[in-house]
């Protein structure tokens, strides 16, 4: 007890710590209030430890450094850059598409200064923010008009609410999809105020099913591109072109939701051919909706393109204001769309497409270069080897189609717990390394690893941490 009392008397005061050289750094970086409160907290916790006899009396500098570590940790953003080595290129949980340099530069410019967001520089009158991308979207898709909202679910919601609020929306049972986060198409339709009318069966829907369901209460026919799953076997669906003819004959608008959506044919890049937005427009859909942050490779956005008279009505919907995009995202969208005007250099300039088109031999060469570094960083309790991988596009796009890739396979000589600890250590790096645990191994698919030097720097940190322990 006497020792504890003596130790408590030797504990430095808050004022003494605030006068130290380390505290001067704290005050400059975090301000007086946060610095003082953190020092008080560190001293309070130390006081409890001293009373229990489990802690030595810290010096003034040690207290200040403990406060610095705590403040620095709390100041670090949760939106930290990571190495996406999961094998999923457009990983929803990791932010989907990496933006092009042009989009990043445009967003920074929009953040730095006031911009003519809704201001017509020619007339000095109020302008429309959609005008910044309207002409581009029409040129790239062949649509008469276009508008943009904050994601594709919002695009579908707004379109359905405009066309079918209080009315019936006809959709095939095989197209009632669920997207990420248990977000279901029927729920979107209900929130839009539309009455769901299901036609056909899960695996087979015919033209006669749609024709029989159309009546005076029909507000829209909805076609949903099932990009996040596929039904195989005894199946039948009505194509968009044929469905457009049925809708036109009955004077009912057709809404074609492409989901991921793409503005270019992906087959030249070694990917499966997906219906393009231009194709969907040409097939006769009155409205087409698609995403901006998936196959298009831009920031999160939802595009609505189609017939001018319908887009005008959609833009007058009060919901449009609630779902609009801000100047920063709009600037990045505009810059991304402009890249598609030069398809010959698109893969060079658009990171998402560049990563998807990256050849396997290039990734294998990278894996061979990194193998000894990964082995050294992991230590002798692990065995690292080069492995073949199958990357996924991600975000619900082409779920059954994979892309040949390569990576590093790490197995443990000390059991599964050691492997989980290594995975946790990789996630705990200053720039976390995110792989996947698969069949008793950590798999690091290298398809998305573009900054090899930064990765090696991260591995050296892992090695030092392991040595320290």
């Amino acid at each position: 007890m006497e020792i504890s009392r003596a130790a408590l008397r030797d504990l430095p005061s808050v004022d003494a710590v605030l006068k130290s050289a380390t505290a001067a750094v704290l005050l400059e970086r975090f301000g007086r209030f946060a610095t003082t409160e953190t020092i008080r907290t560190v001293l309070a916790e130390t006081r409890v430890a001293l009373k229990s006899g489990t802690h030595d009396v810290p010096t003034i500098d040690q207290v200040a450094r403990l406060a610095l570590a705590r403040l620095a940790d709390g100041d670090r953003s949760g939106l930290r850059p990571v190495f996406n080595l999961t094998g999923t290129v457009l990983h929803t949980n990791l932010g989907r598409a990496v933006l092009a340099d042009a989009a990043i530069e445009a967003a920074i410019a929009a953040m730095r200064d006031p911009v003519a967001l809704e201001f017509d520089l020619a007339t000095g009158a109020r302008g429309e923010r959609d005008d910044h991308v309207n002409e581009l979207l029409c040129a790239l898709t062949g649509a008469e008009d276009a508008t943009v909202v904050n994601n594709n679910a919002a695009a579908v919601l707004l379109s359905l609410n405009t066309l079918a609020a209080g009315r019936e929306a006809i959709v095939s049972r095989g197209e009632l999809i669920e997207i990420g986060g248990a977000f279901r198409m029927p729920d979107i339709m209900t929130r839009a105020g539309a009455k769901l009318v299901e036609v056909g069966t899960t695996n087979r829907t015919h033209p006669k099913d749609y024709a029989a369901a159309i009546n005076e209460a029909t507000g829209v026919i909805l076609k949903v591109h099932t990009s996040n799953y596929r039904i195989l076997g005894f199946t039948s669906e009505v194509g968009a072109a044929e469905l457009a003819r049925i809708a036109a004959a009955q004077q009912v608008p057709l809404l074609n939701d492409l989901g991921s959506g793409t503005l270019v044919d992906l087959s030249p890049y070694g990917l499966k051919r997906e219906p393009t937005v231009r194709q969907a427009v040409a097939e006769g859909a009155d409205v087409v909706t698609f995403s901006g942050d998936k196959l298009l490779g831009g920031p999160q956005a939802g595009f609505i393109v189609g017939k001018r008279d319908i887009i005008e009505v959609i833009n007058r919907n009060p919901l449009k204001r609630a779902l609009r995009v801000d100047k920063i995202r709009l600037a990045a969208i505009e810059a991304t769309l402009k890249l598609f005007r030069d398809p010959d250099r698109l893969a060079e300039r658009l990171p998402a497409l560049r990563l998807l088109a990256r050849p396997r031999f290039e990734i294998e060469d990278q894996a061979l270069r990194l193998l000894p570094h990964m082995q050294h960083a992991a230590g002798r309790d692990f065995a690292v080897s080069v492995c073949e991988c199958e990357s996924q596009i991600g975000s619900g796009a082409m779920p059954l189609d994979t892309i040949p890739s390569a990576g590093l396979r790490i197995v443990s000589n000390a059991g599964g717990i050691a492997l989980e600890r290594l995975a946790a250590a990789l996630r705990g790096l200053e720039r976390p390394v995110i792989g996947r645990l698969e069949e008793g191994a950590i798999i690091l698919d290298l398809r998305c690893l573009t900054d090899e030097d930064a990765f090696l720097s991260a591995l050296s940190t892992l090695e030092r941490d392991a040595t320290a322990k």
Side-chain angles (χ1 to χ4, degrees):
M1 182 65 69
E2 289 300 323
I3 295 174
S4 296
R5 287 177 179 172
L8 290 173
R9 284 195 300 270
D10 293 337
L11 193 64
S13 67
V14 173
D15 286 340
V17 178
L18 283 171
K19 294 175 182 177
S20 67
T22 303
V25 176
L26 290 174
L27 291 167
E28 176 65 26
R29 182 174 171 184
F30 302 105
R32 177 165 293 276
F33 178 79
T35 298
T36 303
E37 290 302 306
T38 304
I39 291 172
R40 283 199 180 108
T41 300
V42 170
L43 289 172
E45 292 173 354
T46 305
R47 193 172 290 109
V48 172
L50 288 172
K51 287 180 179 179
S52 64
T54 60
H55 201 289
D56 294 329
V57 179
T59 65
I60 289 175
D61 190 60
Q62 285 174 331
V63 172
R65 290 185 178 278
L66 286 170
L68 174 59
R70 184 165 300 192
L71 282 166
D73 186 62
D75 195 51
R76 187 167 55 183
S77 172
L79 290 171
R80 292 160 60 191
V82 303
F83 291 104
N84 175 15
L85 306 188
T86 63
T88 301
V89 177
L90 302 174
H91 200 302
T92 297
N93 297 344
L94 301 180
R96 293 186 179 169
V98 175
L99 298 190
D101 289 341
I104 295 169
E105 291 165 6
I108 291 172
M111 286 188 280
R112 183 176 288 120
D113 295 302
V115 296
L117 178 63
E118 293 183 351
F119 187 83
D120 189 325
L121 293 171
T123 65
R126 181 185 178 92
E128 293 292 336
R129 67 179 63 200
D130 287 358
D131 288 348
H132 297 283
V133 296
N134 183 294
E135 186 176 334
L136 275 167
L137 284 168
C138 291
L140 293 168
T141 66
E144 294 177 2
D145 204 354
T147 190
V148 59
V149 289
N150 58 10
N151 61 33
N152 190 52
V156 176
L157 174 72
L158 179 60
S159 299
L160 284 171
N161 181 259
T162 303
L163 298 172
R167 297 172 66 79
E168 295 179 354
I170 300 172
V171 62
S172 168
R173 284 187 174 88
E175 297 175 1
L176 291 173
I177 65 171
E178 177 180 307
I179 58 178
F183 204 61
R184 299 178 172 182
M185 183 59 72
D187 295 335
I188 298 174
M189 298 174 74
T190 299
R191 293 297 181 184
K195 179 182 178 182
L196 170 63
V197 176
E198 302 176 33
V199 296
T201 63
T202 302
N203 61 317
R204 290 178 69 81
T205 304
H206 305 285
K208 63 182 180 181
D209 296 319
Y210 288 100
I214 297 173
N215 58 55
E216 293 180 354
T218 302
V220 70
I221 296 176
L222 172 63
K223 181 165 184 60
V224 182
H225 180 51
T226 54
S227 60
N228 66 347
Y229 80 99
R230 199 165 297 160
I231 300 175
L232 304 176
F234 187 58
T235 65
S236 177
E237 68 170 303
V238 182
E242 185 172 5
L243 196 52
R245 288 191 290 271
I246 295 172
Q250 299 293 328
Q251 296 185 327
V252 174
L254 171 62
L255 166 57
N256 189 352
D257 173 32
L258 292 181
S260 296
T262 178
L263 295 176
V264 295
D265 179 10
L266 298 174
S267 57
Y269 304 100
L271 303 172
K272 180 178 176 293
R273 183 181 177 88
E274 281 278 284
T276 65
V277 181
R278 180 177 288 276
Q279 177 184 339
V281 171
E283 286 172 337
D286 298 280
V287 179
V288 178
T289 58
F290 59 103
S291 292
D293 54 337
K294 297 182 182 179
L295 293 176
L296 196 137
Q300 180 178 294
F303 299 110
I304 308 171
V305 302
K307 302 290 177 59
R308 181 172 291 106
D309 58 341
I310 294 181
I311 299 298
E312 288 176 353
V313 176
I314 288 173
N315 278 328
R316 291 197 297 268
N317 189 321
L319 274 177
K320 173 66 191 305
R321 183 176 180 84
L323 302 173
R324 68 184 183 178
V325 298
D326 72 335
K327 66 170 184 175
I328 302 167
R329 201 184 310 180
L330 194 59
I333 291 169
E334 181 185 22
T336 301
L337 291 175
K338 286 180 178 178
L339 297 178
F340 284 85
R341 298 186 302 188
D342 185 5
D344 292 339
R345 291 187 289 179
L346 187 59
E348 175 188 336
R349 296 176 173 182
L350 194 67
L353 189 56
R354 183 168 65 248
L355 294 175
L356 290 171
R358 193 178 177 202
R360 182 177 189 158
F361 73 85
E362 178 184 301
I363 307 172
E364 287 178 339
D365 288 345
Q366 185 179 50
L368 288 169
R369 288 195 303 272
L370 293 177
L371 174 62
H373 300 281
M374 186 72 246
Q375 181 64 75
H376 188 65
R380 57 173 177 248
D381 289 338
F382 300 92
V384 185
S385 60
V386 174
C387 66
E388 296 182 351
C389 299
E390 293 294 329
S391 301
Q392 293 182 322
I393 294 173
S395 296
M398 306 181 199
L400 300 184
D401 300 296
T402 57
I403 314 168
S405 184
L408 299 174
R409 184 174 186 268
I410 308 171
V411 296
S412 170
N413 303 321
I417 294 177
L419 200 65
E420 292 177 4
R421 285 176 178 167
L422 177 60
L426 288 169
R427 295 194 306 271
L429 296 174
E430 183 65 26
R431 182 172 176 181
V433 174
I434 313 297
R436 67 178 188 268
L437 286 168
E438 182 179 285
E439 298 179 352
I442 296 173
I443 304 296
L444 303 179
D445 187 322
L446 301 178
R447 173 165 294 278
C448 294
L449 181 58
T450 57
D451 193 340
E452 199 169 308
D453 290 340
F455 180 70
L456 290 173
S457 178
L459 289 187
S460 67
T461 304
L462 178 69
E463 179 189 344
R464 288 198 300 271
D465 289 346
T467 303
K469 293 176 181 178

